[in-house]
Amino acid sequence: MKTILWMISVLGMAAAMVSCKPDEESLRGEAGFILDTTSRWTLADPDRLGVLSGSYEVFNDTMIEGVRWRQIGRNSREGWVLDCLLRQEGEQVYRYDAASGEGLLVYDFDVAEGEQVTVYGLEGAETLTVEKVGDTVLPGGDGLPYRYVSLRSGDYRDVWVENMGSLRTGFYFFGTSTRLEGFIYDKRPGIHLYVNPEYAYLINE
């Protein structure tokens, strides 16, 4: 029930902010979405009564066979640790898979309603159905439109927003069975561009 109520609030927010005439071409090639080093994503763990589980930031670049990847670090109680490598090509975002040496798709904003997209979360490949694609202006943001994509897989619902990632799990797709949720996105330190309503109290602690 908690998950259903949360997704109703998220989808309601997205629907309320979408423009009357979404311009689906406005952001093609302009995702710019996980590469901003001023951005910070914070997750909460519902199994720990909403305690913040750590924040994630882009902190460096690395080259692998001539391809530049961005290093995503996690700031936890143990300090900064490397979490993953991401890169963006147009409207697709990939995660580096050390086992295969390939990039695995985690986001694709070049999709259409009704289409199915296969992405790679922590639990492997998952196929999601695109329910809606539109543009939204984020509260507290820069006033610019960002594309959002709402998706489902069975009872699982999620919303991806350019420049932010998943409104459920943050900077990249964690997978439909992950326990991590809640999501606080700072465009700049202390400037909250989005806060999951269920975890808003955490930013004041």
Side-chain angles (χ1 to χ4, degrees):
M1 177 61 70
K2 178 180 177 182
T3 299
I4 294 174
L5 292 175
W6 180 85
M7 282 311 301
I8 289 174
S9 67
V10 169
L11 290 173
M13 181 200 75
M17 292 187 296
V18 68
S19 60
C20 295
K21 296 181 180 180
D23 178 6
E24 294 192 2
E25 297 299 318
S26 64
L27 296 171
R28 291 197 178 277
E30 301 292 337
F33 132 76
I34 49 87
L35 304 183
D36 188 345
T37 57
T38 65
S39 299
R40 179 172 59 195
W41 302 263
T42 303
L43 285 175
D45 185 346
D47 291 339
R48 299 176 61 203
L49 300 179
V51 174
L52 296 181
S53 65
S55 60
Y56 298 79
E57 299 180 20
V58 180
F59 69 93
N60 210 343
D61 291 349
T62 189
M63 298 292 291
I64 300 177
E65 297 182 354
V67 178
R68 185 182 302 276
W69 295 81
R70 303 305 299 270
Q71 297 178 355
I72 305 296
R74 176 169 56 89
N75 189 7
S76 65
R77 293 179 180 177
E78 293 75 32
W80 278 102
V81 295
L82 178 65
D83 188 82
C84 69
L85 302 177
L86 296 179
R87 68 179 170 86
Q88 182 178 323
E89 293 184 1
E91 294 184 272
Q92 288 77 40
V93 177
Y94 298 87
R95 173 170 55 88
Y96 180 72
D97 180 60
S100 65
E102 298 178 349
L104 302 180
L105 183 68
V106 291
Y107 283 117
D108 187 351
F109 287 93
D110 188 17
V111 292
E113 295 174 13
E115 185 177 347
Q116 290 189 321
V117 56
T118 299
V119 289
Y120 291 80
L122 294 182
E123 292 79 22
E126 300 194 53
T127 300
L128 305 173
T129 300
V130 177
E131 293 189 310
K132 187 170 182 57
V133 178
D135 288 351
T136 183
V137 176
L138 302 172
D142 49 20
L144 299 176
Y146 291 95
R147 176 171 299 182
Y148 75 86
V149 179
S150 61
L151 314 99
R152 66 175 173 80
S153 175
D155 293 332
Y156 179 88
R157 297 288 192 279
D158 200 359
V159 178
W160 300 345
V161 179
E162 285 180 318
N163 202 50
M164 291 171 56
S166 164
L167 291 193
R168 190 180 184 110
T169 58
F171 69 101
Y172 80 91
F173 179 69
F174 274 79
T176 60
S177 62
T178 181
R179 293 183 177 183
L180 288 176
E181 62 177 29
F183 176 40
I184 299 170
Y185 173 73
D186 296 337
K187 181 65 176 177
R188 292 178 295 280
I191 299 179
H192 308 299
L193 198 58
Y194 174 77
V195 179
N196 181 332
E198 290 193 16
Y199 298 95
Y201 68 92
L202 291 172
I203 66 176
N204 297 316
E205 291 187 350

